[in-house]
Amino acid sequence: MSSECLFCKIAGRSIPADVVAETDNALAFRDINPQAPTHVLVIPRQHVESLEEVDDPQMMGELVTLSRMIASREGLENGWRWVTNVGSDGGQSVFHLHFHLLGGRRMTWPPG
Ligand code: DGP
């Protein structure tokens, strides 16, 4: 836990969020600025800055499994997108690992 980290505070429930699912090691909540009808952020509870710092395949597996469960529950049977931004050129603005789970509309490519 990093005391200054926004997503650590959300994981610790000291800042409110619209939580859609949680496990012992992960939390999923709706993005405050949704870019699609479903826009959920899936995070580890543990403070990991970005994908560059991931060294725990089990944690990654849990994030994948939780995301698939949420996509199913949200009715995204036509598909969905799972994105993580890494660093400033990647467009990362919150430095606690998070995966954007986006769905409910047709996605475009390439991303901006
Ligand atoms: P990124 O730019 O990839 O680091 O994504 C950060 C996302 O976090 C962005 O889509 C907006 C979202 N966000 C920022 N602050 C909050 C917050 O306080 N609550 C929630 N639910 N989402 C937030």
Side-chain angles (χ1 to χ4, degrees):
M1 161 108 185
S2 163
S3 58
E4 295 307 313
C5 171
L6 173 64
F7 286 179
C8 282
K9 289 178 183 163
I10 287 177
R13 300 301 187 97
S14 61
I15 288 183
D18 185 358
V19 172
V20 297
E22 61 183 317
T23 67
D24 286 349
N25 300 313
L27 188 78
F29 53 94
R30 295 196 192 278
D31 195 291
I32 205 166
N33 183 22
Q35 301 300 312
T38 292
H39 188 170
V40 169
L41 301 174
V42 182
I43 70 167
R45 290 187 188 278
Q46 180 195 345
H47 184 79
V48 175
E49 202 161 287
S50 79
L51 200 58
E52 286 282 4
E53 282 194 353
V54 171
D55 59 3
D56 181 349
Q58 189 175 329
M59 179 197 80
M60 279 303 301
E62 283 191 41
L63 298 176
V64 170
T65 302
L66 185 63
S67 297
R68 282 169 31 182
M69 187 273 285
I70 294 164
S72 167
R73 220 163 59 186
E74 294 274 320
L76 306 181
E77 60 275 349
N78 289 331
W80 46 288
R81 185 169 285 174
W82 208 58
V83 180
T84 191
N85 298 323
V86 181
S88 52
D89 272 7
Q92 186 174 8
S93 61
V94 177
F95 289 85
H96 179 126
L97 177 66
H98 52 281
F99 292 87
H100 297 258
L101 192 175
L102 297 147
R105 67 168 170 84
R106 181 67 66 95
M107 297 296 152
T108 59
W109 195 264

